[in-house]
Amino acid sequence: MMNNMEQDDGFCIKVYSPGNFIAKEITINGGVHLGTNTAAGGFTDEQIAKALSACVGKGKVIDFKQKWAGAYWYLRWACNYPVDVQKFCEKVKSLPYEKPLEIACEYRNIREIVTLSFMDQDPRKMDSVKVSKNDEKLFFQCREVALKLAEELGKAYLPSI
């Protein structure tokens, strides 16, 4: 009979608030999955790059620079991407795209949008996101991007034909 110390059941830590996760005195006797680890149901860099490629460019949901704020909003919450906007943009630029994106993610283009209050609410719970009248237009743009990105990432789990 195995005791609990010998089992490798593992566990998954999901942090739903922005910022750093700091823990003290944790003993782990199994697998741990943080961030985009696919074993925990996350996405690989390749899957995220493919989803972004489907969303960025003329005629697509991210058709101008400021709409990257919607990708920031979704990836920050759903894929544990950096909260810091500059680090987010660096992470996005480092992804393994098959061909370069038409519209680059740049800090200066989204820095003001990502400070809006709705960005601190999980886009996966969009029905409960509270938005001020002043922010409605930007919210709906970001919402459109988040929904499309979620749809594209959902395709990562579909079997290839």
Side-chain angles (χ1 to χ4, degrees):
M1 180 175 180
M2 287 180 117
N3 67 32
N4 287 340
M5 297 297 284
E6 295 172 4
Q7 293 178 4
D8 188 10
D9 293 334
F11 67 93
C12 178
I13 298 172
K14 291 190 177 187
V15 180
Y16 291 105
S17 62
N20 296 325
F21 176 76
I22 301 171
K24 292 183 179 180
E25 296 185 35
I26 293 180
T27 302
I28 300 169
N29 294 312
V32 178
H33 311 293
L34 297 172
T36 58
N37 187 314
T38 54
F43 301 97
T44 65
D45 285 349
E46 290 79 12
Q47 291 169 325
I48 293 173
K50 185 175 181 179
L52 285 171
S53 293
C55 293
V56 178
K58 291 184 174 113
K60 298 179 182 177
V61 72
I62 300 177
D63 55 359
F64 62 90
K65 299 179 250 186
Q66 289 75 13
K67 283 193 174 183
W68 270 104
Y72 165 86
W73 187 35
Y74 186 78
L75 292 173
R76 168 188 164 193
W77 286 92
C79 299
N80 200 26
Y81 265 50
V83 175
D84 179 271
V85 184
Q86 282 188 297
K87 289 180 182 172
F88 170 81
C89 291
E90 290 169 10
K91 172 72 176 165
V92 165
K93 288 176 184 177
S94 73
L95 293 174
Y97 300 102
E98 289 182 13
K99 58 182 183 175
L101 298 177
E102 288 180 43
I103 301 165
C105 178
E106 296 187 25
Y107 168 76
R108 69 178 180 271
N109 296 324
I110 62 172
R111 70 175 183 245
E112 291 178 16
I113 300 169
V114 300
T115 62
L116 299 177
S117 61
F118 70 83
M119 289 282 176
D120 288 331
Q121 300 176 59
D122 191 337
R124 296 167 297 176
K125 300 174 185 171
M126 223 167 278
D127 292 339
S128 63
V129 172
K130 304 287 186 236
V131 184
S132 72
K133 280 282 188 200
N134 292 340
D135 299 343
E136 276 184 350
K137 181 181 176 186
L138 290 170
F139 168 76
F140 285 113
Q141 287 178 357
C142 290
R143 179 183 182 272
E144 179 186 24
V145 171
L147 289 171
K148 181 64 176 172
L149 195 50
E151 176 188 330
E152 290 299 325
L153 286 170
K155 293 177 184 178
Y157 291 116
L158 297 175
S160 299
I161 297 175

